[in-house]
Amino acid sequence: MVFHYGRLTRRGGLDPRTLTYAVLDLETTGLNPKRGARVCEIAVVRMRGDGTVLDEYSTLVNPGSSIRNSAFHGITDTWVKTAPSFDQVAGDLLAYLDGAIVVGHKLDFEEKFLAAEFARLGVPLTGIPGLCTLVAARYQLDRYGYRLAHLHHLLTGRWPTAEHSALGDARSLAAVLTELINAAPQPLHWDGPTPAPLPQLPRTRIIAPRAAALRKGSEGWLATLTARLPLMVDSPPPRSEALDDYQAMLAHALSDGRVVSEEAEQLALLASHAGLTQETARGVHGEFLLRARDRAEADGVVTAAELRELQRAAKNLAVSHLISDLEEAAAAEKARRNGPLKGWRILPVGEGKELTDVMDYAVDHGAKVAANVTKTVRLVIAPDGVETTKTAQARERGVPILTPKEAWTLLSAEVEQKQRGAALVADTRAGDVAARIAAEQAHEQAGETTNEWHQFWRPRELTDAEYRVKFVDRFADETAPVFTSSKTTQNGGCAGAILLLATLAGAAGTVPGLVG
């Protein structure tokens, strides 16, 4: 057996929050490796028991044969044609499983495929600490429907995303494990072997991650694409030739200012071929926007039209922070133009620091500078003793002429009055009140989610005999025998391993040590 099964139990053991877990999911070309089915996608989420995600790993795997069950997981021959083979990823996979308890939902499914794939490489695996969350949920929760999606919804209050993709399911299972360990009504303990070093194989770091189950959402297609890729601590560099294709497709998709679903799917395929992760995808998207920004700034001025184009691209690429300074400058300019002196056209006549200062103040608050006396000019500012044809024209038209000091008094009073009027219905406490209400609602919702699944917590943990009656014997006519010896092929899976141990121990209600 690849795995030495342990369990989460109320009866004592190690604190599971202190241990490291490798949450594993596989997508395959069929159900039985003995009939030629192969692994076509792998994902691992390494995490601590307290819920902290330490690393992620995900890649498609070229099975070396045509994929005929694409309707189930969405993986086609086109997706895997440039993906690494299992022998190319075996070393990386072992590194991600090393020193951790391997977790799977119905872990025996992953077990039989790992055994078959590593046997082809002449690397027998045995004794790896394993935890089956399907068994754990059945022992602790009294609710019909133990599929991963149902458990995820029950324990988190949300339906999982990207189902039937290896990384999507691994992330979903990591969330379930986190809730079971940290939010159960009664403390659970780890009763089983502790993590140990695994065999080492050469690492290639070749990956072809799949961004599955794309949707536009509120953040846009590319934000979802990036989020569906693995968040790796040490991302391998993208493959250059495929990266060129991705960047070319990115330019095409953004040329009209928006990305549509078909373009997003094509980008996801090219991202896989290029081996992009969250980190490297964000880097590519950021470089794309910066090149566009450089072109906009080449003439020294970013026009309103260019800024709008950059903003559309930045939103699609989920890298708006890279033009935040341009947006802030544009917002400041807009606020200045719409300031309290908006509509004032002021004609300065003469020179001097006082005149310059008052004109700067006026412009900063929305006024515009006039060059000549026209019917739209509301004020002329001229130092004492300055007389020109413009001041004469102003007098003829009845336009007020003030000294810089008089103008400063008039304009500052106008600004103060407008600003005071805008604040008549304002309340400085509004932000604090809104934040407090949002926090209370979030806390209430979190409490409702936690309490909801607690009502399905069994009054006591099932015994092994009770587990057999509820989940094994009732299906005896539909499945092969659970175990007759440790070498017997079984369909009872991780549950069967636990029940075999109970039989060997001669115990109807306990599984001492869970040594498998």
Side-chain angles (χ1 to χ4, degrees), residues 285-300:
H285 295 169
E287 290 172 4
F288 183 94
L289 185 68
L290 289 176
R291 287 195 296 271
R293 174 175 174 159
D294 287 343
R295 291 192 292 272
E297 293 179 315
D299 59 358

Side-chain angles (χ1 to χ4, degrees), residues 13-226:
L14 297 176
D15 183 350
R17 295 170 297 180
T18 65
L19 302 173
T20 300
Y21 303 84
V23 182
L24 172 69
D25 191 79
L26 305 177
E27 299 299 329
T28 63
T29 63
L31 299 177
N32 193 340
K34 291 187 175 181
R35 296 181 179 178
R38 300 289 302 272
V39 171
C40 60
E41 189 176 31
I42 298 170
V44 178
V45 175
R46 279 184 72 90
M47 59 177 285
R48 288 201 302 261
D50 63 4
T52 302
V53 174
L54 304 174
D55 206 351
E56 291 184 340
Y57 172 77
S58 178
T59 183
L60 290 163
V61 179
N62 191 330
S65 59
S66 182
I67 299 176
R68 303 187 182 281
N69 62 337
S70 299
F72 178 73
H73 45 52
I75 302 171
T76 65
D77 294 340
T78 301
W79 277 94
V80 300
K81 70 177 183 180
T82 62
S85 58
F86 189 87
D87 64 295
Q88 290 177 302
V89 303
D92 294 316
L93 175 58
L94 287 176
Y96 277 89
L97 301 182
D98 186 58
I101 297 168
V102 178
V103 183
H105 200 68
K106 201 173 189 304
L107 184 57
D108 63 306
F109 181 83
E110 279 74 19
E111 180 175 39
K112 62 187 180 183
F113 277 92
L114 290 181
E117 294 288 359
F118 279 101
R120 290 186 179 92
L121 304 179
V123 181
L125 294 182
T126 184
I128 302 175
L131 168 65
C132 180
T133 51
L134 174 62
V135 171
R138 286 171 169 175
Y139 268 94
Q140 308 298 341
L141 295 170
D142 185 12
R143 173 167 177 170
Y144 180 78
Y146 294 94
R147 287 186 61 244
L148 177 57
H150 294 155
L151 283 175
H152 184 276
H153 183 260
L154 175 65
L155 270 63
T156 71
R158 304 179 303 276
W159 287 106
T161 57
E163 273 193 278
H164 305 307
S165 71
L167 184 57
D169 287 345
R171 286 173 172 171
S172 179
L173 184 53
V176 167
L177 181 64
T178 297
E179 287 297 312
L180 281 175
I181 290 176
N182 295 279
Q186 297 170 266
L188 293 176
H189 308 276
W190 171 247
D191 184 9
T194 54
L198 298 184
Q200 299 296 304
L201 292 176
R203 299 188 61 178
T204 66
R205 302 183 73 230
I206 301 173
I207 58 170
R210 177 172 63 124
L214 297 184
R215 60 182 181 85
K216 183 177 182 180
S218 59
E219 300 298 321
W221 290 104
L222 293 178
T224 302
L225 187 156
T226 302

Side-chain angles (χ1 to χ4, degrees), residues 289-290 293 307 310-312 314-315 319-328:
L289 185 68
L290 289 176
R293 174 175 174 159
L307 180 58
L310 287 173
Q311 287 174 317
R312 286 194 295 269
K315 182 178 180 181
V319 289
S320 294
H321 63 283
L322 294 179
I323 59 167
S324 59
D325 58 325
L326 296 179
E327 293 180 311
E328 289 169 4

